[in-house]
Amino acid sequence: MKAKALNVIADYAVMIFACFLFMLAWEGFMIPQGMSSGGIMGLCTVIQFATGGFIKASISYIVVNCLLLLVAIAIFGVAFGFRTLFCIIVSSLVMELGSRLEWLHSVPGNFFFVSQPVLVPIIAGALEAVAVGLIIRKGGSTGGTDIIALIVNKYYPVSLSKVFLLSDFIIICTILLLPDKSFADTLYGFEMALTFSVVVDRVVVGNRSTIQVLIFSSQYEKIADYIINTLDRGVTLLRAQGWFTKEDKNVLLVLMRKHQLPSFTKAVKSIDPRAFMSVSQTTGVYGEGFEEIKAGIDTGKKKK
């Protein structure tokens, strides 16, 4: 019980830290530089620019997200909804705090000032991706398009980055509705969105990414036993033939988490120093021991 409580506390501590990173990306870099991007936060930023700062992004952000949160609770349950609500409230509060802490703003004379505008969306995109990725890994969300992406990803084998890019494209184009913004401003928005999409999948997936390994070894039996007993993974024995020697070979096929590869490689080398391995990244592995099979939403039952 104590360990479980400590884990929950640690999760919320990480989410609070992530909310500060989220705030720094927007209130520290994007908004002070007059830039916007995708996501609900990007839309709220456009609203702030359009109203001359009368409607702050932190205010419209919490209003929009409270509506979207009802959808998240219905699909993911109360636990997800609470953590998402927590992150939305904390993000909004620290956003308001960040707007008042002028020393955080990327403007001339301040520590975070970046003289080359093209670098600002890259920095902000990376910060936001790390923040959102950490929050999602802890079972929460910063709301907005995060909720939309998670809903799609729950039922369909579509990566988070693709959903983010599609929604971001639509939102970023709204920047052109502002009279003082130009095509260059949309490019900055897309730059941040692309940076975000590249980084976020790596943060969310992390060590959970899966690789496929083929092992060619005369000691295949010992290696297969190691995979089953120590690595706790399934292994498939493939019958093959070397075309040059015309000799029959036994090849092991195994799917494992990326973080398991270093220890596995070391074990294979100790069993058979002459073993040959082929390692490749997989785009998706679904089934027992990996990700849940996603085949869409069941819209109805077949009639008997």
Side-chain angles (χ1 to χ4, degrees), residues 160-172:
L160 297 175
S161 60
K162 290 182 180 179
V163 181
F164 284 133
L165 280 175
L166 179 61
S167 59
D168 286 349
F169 177 82
I170 298 173
I171 293 173
I172 290 172

Side-chain angles (χ1 to χ4, degrees), residues 13-281:
V14 170
M15 288 190 290
I16 291 173
F17 171 73
C19 290
F20 275 92
L21 292 181
F22 183 80
M23 175 272 291
L24 185 60
W26 287 97
E27 289 292 352
F29 289 95
M30 294 298 285
I31 295 177
Q33 292 272 3
M35 298 180 181
S36 183
S37 187
I40 295 301
M41 192 64 237
L43 183 62
C44 294
T45 303
V46 172
I47 294 174
Q48 177 172 323
F49 293 156
T51 59
F54 179 74
I55 302 177
K56 287 187 176 182
S58 58
I59 302 300
S60 57
Y61 177 74
I62 194 170
V63 172
V64 173
N65 276 300
C66 282
L67 297 176
L68 289 173
L69 186 60
L70 298 176
V71 179
I73 294 174
I75 294 178
F76 296 103
V78 178
F80 175 89
F82 182 79
R83 291 197 176 198
T84 300
L85 178 60
F86 174 82
C87 291
I88 290 173
I89 293 175
V90 174
S91 296
S92 300
L93 291 176
V94 296
M95 285 281 292
E96 180 64 23
L97 176 65
S99 66
R100 299 173 184 273
L101 298 177
E102 296 184 0
W103 59 272
L104 279 178
H105 300 169
S106 180
V107 295
N110 284 352
F111 176 78
F112 288 111
F113 175 64
V114 179
S115 59
Q116 297 179 341
V118 71
L119 297 178
V120 173
I122 296 177
I123 298 172
L127 286 172
E128 184 184 28
V130 172
V132 172
L134 289 175
I135 290 173
I136 289 177
R137 291 186 68 170
K138 297 304 177 182
S141 168
T142 53
T145 52
D146 299 354
I147 294 178
I148 299 173
L150 287 173
I151 292 173
V152 174
N153 184 255
K154 177 178 175 63
Y155 296 108
Y156 296 96
V158 179
S159 68
L160 297 175
S161 60
K162 290 182 180 179
V163 181
F164 284 133
L165 280 175
L166 179 61
S167 59
D168 286 349
F169 177 82
I170 298 173
I171 293 173
I172 290 172
C173 288
T174 62
I175 299 174
L176 294 175
L177 298 176
L178 302 180
D180 59 335
K181 298 298 180 182
S182 63
F183 178 68
D185 293 293
T186 62
L187 293 181
Y188 290 138
F190 283 120
E191 185 183 358
M192 179 182 179
L194 287 172
T195 302
F196 175 85
S197 66
V198 169
V199 178
V200 70
D201 273 348
R202 296 182 180 274
V203 178
V204 173
V205 175
N207 288 333
R208 294 186 301 160
S209 59
T210 306
I211 56 175
Q212 176 180 281
V213 184
L214 293 173
I215 307 102
F216 302 79
S217 171
S218 60
Q219 303 294 321
Y220 65 90
E221 292 180 342
K222 293 182 180 179
I223 296 175
D225 288 338
Y226 171 81
I227 295 172
I228 294 292
N229 300 323
T230 304
L231 200 62
D232 195 26
R233 287 292 181 191
V235 59
T236 302
L237 180 66
L238 305 176
R239 303 295 183 182
Q241 183 184 63
W243 192 248
F244 180 76
T245 63
K246 300 300 188 295
E247 294 180 357
D248 292 334
K249 301 286 184 180
N250 291 309
V251 182
L252 299 178
L253 169 64
V254 60
L255 296 168
M256 67 180 71
R257 297 302 188 185
K258 191 173 182 179
H259 70 88
Q260 296 175 307
L261 182 61
S263 60
F264 176 70
T265 303
K266 184 178 179 180
V268 170
K269 185 177 181 180
S270 65
I271 296 172
D272 182 9
R274 297 176 60 84
F276 181 84
M277 290 175 53
S278 172
V279 181
S280 58
Q281 187 77 41

